[in-house]
Amino acid sequence: MPVPRSRKRDTTLYDLLEVSPDATDAQIAKAYKIAAMKYHPDRNPEAPPEKFKEISAAYDVLKDEHKREVYDQYGLEGLKEGMGAGGTGATSLFDLFMGGPSRHQRQHGPPKGESKVIPLKVTLETLYNGETKSVPFTRRVTCQQCNGSGCKAGKKRVHCRACHGQGVCMGMTRMGPLTFQQPVQCRECDGEGEVIAHKDKCSMCQGNKIAEENKVLDVVILPGCSNGKKIKFRGENDQLPGIEPGDVFFLIQQEKHAVFERVHENDLLIKMKINLNESLTGFKRTIQHLDGRHVLIQHPPNQPIAPHSMKKITNQGMINMETHHTGDLIIQFDVEFPPMNFFTDPNILQLLESILPAKSVLEVPSGVNIDDSSSSMIDYKKETHSNKHRSPQKPGDDSNEDIDGDDDAQYTDDDDDDDDDEHDGHPQVHSCATH
């Protein structure tokens, strides 16, 4: 909303401090110090309390370069719009600049309290089938014994002596070489202007006006509810005096499942291990679904399943809460091959050769020599120790020594003869000693 421009220059704040609109910052600070000492309740008990508040609010605006610029151009109405204090209805300058009610609060009721987020761990079965969970939590509420007054029955709050019921006291503020007095919130009454004698405090809330309450809310989890979804309960958080209760959110956190994994929000993934026979000739199996049903999973013969391939069964996944469509059940296969030396009968091997697809035939071009001295393969395992590719150590170089100082103890010579350590100028390979 554009800030309205004042037709006539507003000098109300300058008049309160008895300075001209062209006054410097030092002149404004000096004028505020004189006026504050003149109207402070401690120095002048007969002075109107609102006068000191207005002087303090005026100085709060004029000492701030941005606020003063807005005030000089648009007056108090511009400050009200720019600072959200409302176009009309400000009871005093103190309400406008010292934390009084804003336009939104006056038009729409008291300020709203903070919200609370409570994590709620649930199983995948719960998200699939739906469930209502009763969840306890603790919140702060207005004390029922004193109805939020903080006092015992028949007792009342009294004016704070430290601030004379104003809620603010004068504090010292240093700006360079100068020291100023500035209103700050009273520590004795927390800015309320009233206190309760210790003997008059409510026995339940100890004068705090609030007490803790154990509350239970029934959280309805619908089938297909998403992981990370927040379920809102309006106005169920702390219920404090003068503040609209905030909301409570339950954050759905899905626990890890032993069989199923939720993917793509609406699909379910399982991993199934089958053997080579099942992969080649087909199979029939059942799995227990999240709702207890036993679902038949079958695969026809003559359609081999490759390792790590994936199949799906439609409409066996999670339901979508918005579209009400059901996702798929995805199956990832792990094909187990027979162990080493499983086929011991040569006749069976010949039979397999005749059944399975033909093997490739080795064709060697004429004139090509094939090295078959080391063509037999063995199982490959990644080396876990770092000594396999150890760099040769130079004489006098201790950088590669073992931390424990017994690096040499890890190695033994194949030959006991030291003279055979080198042969034809090349160092012999040492084998790792086993323990």
Side-chain angles (χ1 to χ4, degrees):
M1 178 182 294
V3 180
R5 181 177 294 275
S6 177
R7 296 181 180 178
K8 184 179 179 180
R9 186 171 186 179
D10 190 339
T11 61
T12 304
L13 303 186
Y14 295 103
D15 296 341
L16 284 170
L17 298 179
E18 299 181 358
V19 294
S20 67
D22 300 327
T24 63
D25 293 342
Q27 291 173 334
I28 291 175
K30 182 178 180 180
Y32 166 70
K33 185 176 181 180
I34 295 174
M37 295 177 63
K38 180 179 179 181
Y39 293 104
H40 193 275
D42 290 343
R43 292 181 173 270
N44 187 6
E46 298 180 357
E50 293 297 323
K51 186 70 173 179
F52 175 72
K53 296 180 181 180
E54 292 175 353
I55 291 173
S56 300
Y59 177 63
D60 183 71
V61 173
L62 297 181
K63 73 176 182 179
D64 186 283
E65 181 180 354
H66 174 69
K67 292 180 182 178
R68 183 179 180 181
E69 182 180 355
V70 173
Y71 172 71
D72 287 341
Q73 294 186 28
Y74 306 109
L76 285 178
E77 293 299 322
L79 281 173
K80 292 174 184 177
E81 291 293 333
M83 300 180 64
T88 58
T91 57
S92 66
L93 288 175
F94 182 79
D95 287 338
L96 184 58
F97 301 119
M98 297 296 291
S102 68
R103 172 179 57 187
H104 177 78
Q105 294 168 358
R106 283 195 299 272
Q107 292 181 355
H108 301 282
K112 187 171 183 177
E114 296 181 355
S115 297
K116 177 187 294 185
V117 179
I118 302 176
L120 180 58
K121 293 186 177 181
V122 296
T123 63
L124 187 57
E125 284 86 352
T126 296
L127 297 180
Y128 183 85
N129 299 295
E131 185 180 348
T132 299
K133 286 185 170 290
S134 297
V135 184
F137 70 101
T138 303
R139 66 177 182 178
R140 296 180 298 168
V141 296
T142 302
C143 179
Q144 300 297 320
Q145 182 168 304
C146 63
N147 293 323
S149 68
C151 304
K152 292 181 179 179
K155 303 297 182 179
K156 294 182 179 180
R157 302 166 69 88
V158 297
H159 283 287
C160 176
R161 294 182 179 181
C163 64
H164 300 279
Q166 304 303 316
V168 292
C169 297
M170 295 302 296
M172 303 303 294
T173 302
R174 181 179 294 275
M175 297 178 63
L178 302 178
T179 302
F180 303 97
Q181 285 185 318
Q182 189 172 1
V184 295
Q185 179 177 290
C186 178
R187 296 181 179 179
E188 298 294 327
C189 63
D190 294 330
E192 295 184 2
E194 296 178 332
V195 295
I196 307 173
H198 182 73
K199 60 183 179 62
D200 296 336
K201 291 183 178 180
C202 171
S203 60
M204 178 174 289
C205 66
Q206 301 301 318
N208 295 320
K209 305 180 186 178
I210 56 176
E212 288 191 347
E213 177 189 59
N214 294 324
K215 178 84 174 180
V216 177
L217 292 176
D218 292 332
V219 183
V220 179
I221 303 173
L222 298 177
C225 182
S226 302
N227 180 37
K229 180 179 178 59
K230 290 182 178 179
I231 300 177
K232 180 180 180 179
F233 286 80
R234 186 182 300 275
E236 291 292 350
N237 200 15
D238 298 338
Q239 298 181 355
L240 307 179
I243 299 179
E244 180 184 348
D247 304 326
V248 171
F249 293 87
F250 288 96
L251 176 62
I252 301 299
Q253 294 181 343
Q254 175 190 316
E255 296 177 335
K256 186 176 181 180
H257 198 272
V259 178
F260 294 89
E261 179 183 352
R262 190 173 185 176
V263 295
H264 309 136
E265 188 61 29
N266 300 318
D267 296 333
L268 291 174
L269 171 69
I270 64 171
K271 296 181 179 180
M272 179 176 292
K273 187 175 293 187
I274 60 175
N275 58 36
L276 183 59
N277 189 359
E278 292 173 310
S279 170
L280 298 176
T281 63
F283 65 89
K284 288 184 179 182
R285 288 193 184 184
T286 61
I287 61 167
Q288 188 172 3
H289 213 305
L290 294 169
D291 57 357
R293 293 178 296 114
H294 285 79
V295 179
L296 176 63
I297 298 178
Q298 58 181 342
H299 188 71
N302 201 28
Q303 296 183 16
I305 296 179
H308 309 298
S309 62
M310 305 176 77
K311 306 289 183 180
K312 74 174 183 179
I313 302 177
T314 59
N315 299 325
Q316 290 292 343
M318 302 286 294
I319 189 172
N320 188 301
M321 293 181 59
E322 298 179 359
T323 63
H324 301 289
H325 294 160
T326 305
D328 302 327
L329 175 62
I330 303 172
I331 307 168
Q332 181 177 347
F333 291 97
D334 179 14
V335 181
E336 281 188 307
F337 281 74
M340 191 72 69
N341 301 322
F342 178 77
F343 300 106
T344 58
D345 189 344
N347 295 327
I348 296 180
L349 291 176
Q350 292 178 2
L351 179 61
L352 283 175
E353 267 190 289
S354 64
I355 296 175
L356 295 175
K359 294 184 290 186
S360 59
V361 179
L362 176 63
E363 296 181 359
V364 181
S366 60
V368 174
N369 295 324
I370 298 178
D371 181 8
D372 60 352
S373 60
S374 58
S375 60
S376 298
M377 296 186 296
I378 61 175
D379 290 338
Y380 169 76
K381 294 182 180 179
K382 292 184 178 179
E383 299 291 342
T384 56
H385 56 80
S386 60
N387 295 323
K388 183 176 180 181
H389 303 289
R390 177 184 289 267
S391 300
Q393 184 172 344
K394 297 180 180 179
D397 184 6
D398 298 334
S399 61
N400 290 331
E401 286 188 2
D402 189 79
I403 296 176
D404 295 331
D406 59 350
D407 190 56
D408 293 338
Q410 300 179 13
Y411 299 91
T412 59
D413 294 340
D414 289 338
D415 242 341
D416 292 335
D417 190 358
D418 294 338
D419 295 335
D420 294 335
D421 282 354
E422 291 191 3
H423 182 68
D424 296 335
H426 299 285
Q428 296 295 318
V429 178
H430 292 186
S431 63
C432 179
T434 58
H435 300 279

